Amino acid sequence: MDSVGVAAAAPDAGPGPAWQSKCPWGAPSTTSISCSLADVMSEQLAKELQLEEENAAFPQVVAAAEGPFITGENIDTSSDLMLAQMLQMEFDREYDAQLRREEKKINGDSKVSISFENYRKVHPYDSDSSEDEVDWQDTRHDPYRADKPTTTPRRGFTGKGKDITTKHDEVVCGRKNTARMENFAPEFQVGDGIGMDLKLSNQVFNALKQHAYSEERRSARLHEKKEHSTAEKAVDPKTRLLLYKMVNSGMLETITGCISTGKESVVFHAYGGNSATEDKVIPPECAIKVFKTTLNEFKNRDKYIKDDYRFKDRFSKLNPRKIIRMWAEKEMHNLTRMQNAGIPCPQVVILKKHVLVMSFIGQDQVPAPKLKDVTLSSEDMKKAYYQILNMMQQLYRECNLVHADLSEYNMLWHDGKVWLIDVSQSVEPTHPHGLEFLFRDCRNVSQFFQKGGVAEALNERELFNAVSGLNITADNEVDFQAEIEALEKMNEDHVQNHGKKLSTFSSDGDPPIYDE
């Protein structure tokens, strides 16, 4: 029998052992598929054959690809589920990267660090890690910023032999001092000393440190002074709030601006509003007098108020704001007395703490000129003199007051007559220095009108007797003032012994008559 026929008939025989079917010398069971030369040269066919060989050699890769893992080759964008998974994965990666940046920002170089590991959303199949992608702008490590000087070890020196460097080295100390300047107050501009490799000596650093501390304290004092005082234009936040309330309530229509400044107060002009809740009629134009809450410019004002029996019990030298309120209240009461006596003066509208609202002496925001600034004819000057003489007598006898600061600076000329202003320092004649204040007022008035050419003007002693009704006969001014001081001393002794004020002084030069 032919050998070829035996070999071909062997598989058709009955079932035999398993090794016979896998005989390496046997013919292959699969038949090869014939293909043309063009198919062999096809690139697509080559890729398919390569994929089949890879799948046969590495079946685990195929198994991993069957899961939810997404690669760039098997993305199917037609599925909504697939798109949702892709977006969620991208969001999770950005969220994890943000957590890593937050960790590095918070921890810094600290030995004790915190971790946001429990808050991360890393997928188990996400092998792509963004930890290597460090955004230096979100961390404390700026490659364009010079590194701070390293600290000296505990032993106090570095290096060996000739290269030893102690903590007292000039360069090391200079760089440390430059780095310490960053701890100064934010208002103190230090610049980029580290970037310029600036080296400050200990003497310069200590001087800058002391200057920075003094500037910080000075700015704090200025801020406190601005908040709690009314020295600059008298408008601090509390005063501004009072003015806003007056405008909002309708009492004032608008505040136009400042018209006068003095050592004790600032005066503003305002247009009056309606008086819906007040019984008083508000004039069309008002003057707002705001008393300064600082005593720097008028430190001796307590002399006018501490001995006044109306405010003696309430006087406190330790509280400037209370003194200012009493000062404003005192002017309100004095103006009320003068108004009741018919003396030309501003009309009181309302008093709110240290803000006094009065009628405006003038017209169309233009205040009436002071007597020292106006040029009067001889007739008007003579008329003004007799009017002032009459007002001084009314002030002393009917109002029981002494102006205590009467001069051409505190008298206005308006509508052909003299108006008295600034009566906050006015006291009663029974004040321990009341007669001295009256004599000083008489001297100011007499000198002004004598210089103005009024021939009928009396001298200060004659004017004092004419106003007070006393008959003090003295040849010179020294003896005249001595008698005035003697009368004041008698009055003060009586007040201390009996606790009662004088009603008036006698008009014939005798000792004062007391009311028991």
Side-chain angles (χ1 to χ4, degrees):
M1 182 180 292
D2 191 4
S3 59
V4 178
V6 174
D12 296 338
W19 60 270
Q20 293 181 358
S21 60
K22 295 183 179 180
C23 181
W25 293 278
S29 59
T30 59
T31 59
S32 60
I33 302 174
S34 61
C35 58
S36 63
L37 180 60
D39 294 338
V40 173
M41 298 299 293
S42 175
E43 185 178 354
Q44 182 177 4
L45 180 59
K47 289 184 178 181
E48 292 178 357
L49 293 176
Q50 183 179 0
L51 287 176
E52 290 179 1
E53 292 178 1
E54 290 179 356
N55 293 337
F58 306 101
Q60 66 276 10
V61 178
V62 178
E66 293 176 355
F69 181 71
I70 302 174
T71 62
E73 299 177 355
N74 57 354
I75 295 177
D76 185 10
T77 57
S78 62
S79 175
D80 294 340
L81 177 61
M82 188 64 65
L83 289 175
Q85 291 178 352
M86 292 170 58
L87 293 175
Q88 183 64 37
M89 183 178 296
E90 187 68 23
F91 174 81
D92 293 343
R93 288 180 181 177
E94 294 178 359
Y95 181 79
D96 294 342
Q98 180 66 22
L99 287 181
R100 294 189 190 95
R101 288 192 293 267
E102 289 292 335
E103 286 182 7
K104 292 183 179 181
K105 184 177 180 180
I106 295 176
N107 295 332
D109 300 333
S110 177
K111 296 180 179 179
V112 180
S113 61
I114 63 173
S115 175
F116 295 146
E117 189 69 28
N118 296 335
Y119 298 96
R120 293 181 181 174
K121 298 183 179 181
V122 180
H123 295 273
Y125 48 81
D126 188 6
S127 59
D128 186 13
S129 175
S130 61
E131 189 171 358
D132 297 335
E133 302 175 1
V134 179
D135 188 4
W136 59 267
Q137 293 181 353
D138 295 335
T139 62
R140 293 187 178 182
H141 302 286
D142 189 348
Y144 297 101
R145 185 178 179 86
D147 295 333
K148 291 186 179 180
T150 57
T151 58
T152 308
R154 297 182 61 182
R155 58 188 177 182
F157 65 92
T158 57
K160 295 181 180 180
K162 296 181 180 180
D163 299 332
I164 187 171
T165 302
T166 65
K167 62 181 180 180
H168 303 289
D169 183 72
E170 183 178 0
V171 177
V172 175
C173 287
R175 289 174 177 171
K176 285 185 178 180
N177 292 336
T178 303
R180 290 187 189 131
M181 286 199 307
E182 294 187 353
N183 298 327
F184 289 169
E187 297 82 8
F188 195 81
Q189 305 294 334
V190 296
D192 187 15
I194 298 178
M196 295 184 297
D197 196 17
L198 186 64
K199 305 175 185 66
L200 293 179
S201 62
N202 292 336
Q203 182 179 2
V204 175
F205 173 75
N206 291 333
L208 289 175
K209 182 180 178 181
Q210 187 66 27
H211 179 67
Y213 287 164
S214 61
E215 285 294 316
E216 187 177 1
R217 291 193 297 267
R218 188 180 70 88
S219 62
R221 288 196 303 268
L222 289 177
H223 179 72
E224 182 179 2
K225 184 177 180 181
K226 184 182 295 184
E227 292 293 331
H228 298 91
S229 69
T230 57
E232 186 65 25
K233 294 302 180 184
V235 181
D236 60 342
K238 293 184 178 180
T239 305
R240 192 179 301 113
L241 182 60
L242 290 175
L243 299 179
Y244 285 160
K245 288 183 178 179
M246 291 181 182
V247 175
N248 293 334
S249 63
M251 181 185 305
L252 300 176
E253 183 179 352
T254 181
I255 300 175
T256 57
C258 178
I259 58 176
S260 177
T261 58
K263 60 184 179 181
E264 64 172 7
S265 63
V266 178
V267 182
F268 297 90
H269 175 271
Y271 286 104
N274 51 19
S275 177
T277 58
E278 298 289 340
D279 296 335
K280 297 182 179 179
V281 178
I282 299 180
E285 291 185 273
C286 297
I288 305 175
K289 189 172 185 178
V290 182
F291 290 85
K292 295 180 179 179
T293 57
T294 54
L295 302 179
N296 296 332
E297 301 183 22
F298 196 9
K299 297 181 180 180
N300 61 342
R301 73 173 77 206
D302 56 341
K303 181 175 67 174
Y304 296 91
I305 194 172
K306 70 178 182 179
D307 293 324
D308 195 330
Y309 79 95
R310 298 175 293 175
F311 306 95
K312 188 174 183 179
D313 297 335
R314 299 164 51 191
F315 178 76
S316 175
K317 194 173 182 179
L318 301 178
N319 195 332
R321 280 196 172 270
K322 288 186 178 180
I323 296 178
I324 299 306
R325 292 182 185 180
M326 284 193 294
W327 197 256
E329 183 181 350
K330 185 178 180 183
E331 176 155 8
M332 182 194 68
H333 290 306
N334 294 339
L335 286 175
T336 304
R337 286 191 184 185
M338 295 169 60
Q339 184 179 353
N340 295 335
I343 299 176
C345 66
Q347 177 185 355
V348 177
V349 178
I350 194 172
L351 172 65
K352 291 289 186 180
K353 295 183 179 180
H354 60 283
V355 179
L356 179 62
V357 182
M358 306 172 290
S359 60
F360 179 69
I361 307 300
Q363 189 175 4
D364 297 334
Q365 303 184 27
V366 179
K370 297 178 182 179
L371 204 58
K372 74 177 186 68
D373 298 329
V374 67
T375 302
L376 300 178
S377 61
S378 58
E379 292 296 328
D380 290 338
M381 185 69 74
K382 183 177 179 181
K383 176 182 177 182
Y385 172 73
Y386 283 108
Q387 183 184 356
I388 292 174
L389 178 60
N390 186 26
M391 287 192 297
M392 292 178 67
Q393 292 176 346
Q394 283 185 290
L395 194 65
Y396 184 87
R397 299 175 182 177
E398 299 181 19
C399 302
N400 197 24
L401 288 175
V402 174
H403 192 283
D405 192 22
L406 187 61
S407 65
E408 62 272 17
Y409 294 88
N410 292 328
M411 293 183 286
L412 305 180
W413 180 261
H414 181 62
D415 289 341
K417 59 182 178 180
V418 179
W419 298 68
L420 292 183
I421 60 172
D422 193 11
V423 293
S424 56
Q425 73 285 332
S426 300
V427 297
E428 293 192 349
T430 55
H431 188 276
H433 303 283
L435 296 181
E436 294 180 18
F437 296 154
L438 178 60
F439 184 73
R440 186 177 62 187
D441 293 346
C442 294
R443 182 192 293 118
N444 295 335
V445 172
S446 179
Q447 290 179 356
F448 174 74
F449 283 100
Q450 284 178 357
K451 291 180 181 179
V454 179
E456 294 83 356
L458 303 175
N459 58 34
E460 57 268 19
R461 286 172 287 175
E462 296 173 348
L463 184 60
F464 178 86
N465 290 331
V467 172
S468 62
L470 300 174
N471 189 15
I472 299 178
T473 57
D475 297 335
N476 51 35
E477 184 176 346
V478 177
D479 296 339
F480 195 89
Q481 291 183 349
E483 292 190 24
I484 292 176
E485 293 177 0
L487 291 175
E488 292 177 342
K489 186 65 171 59
M490 294 174 59
N491 180 31
E492 187 176 359
D493 293 341
H494 175 77
V495 172
Q496 292 179 356
N497 295 332
H498 300 82
K500 295 182 180 180
K501 69 181 183 71
L502 294 174
S503 61
T504 182
F505 292 99
S506 61
S507 58
D508 55 355
D510 295 332
I513 300 175
Y514 304 110
D515 278 338
E516 297 296 341

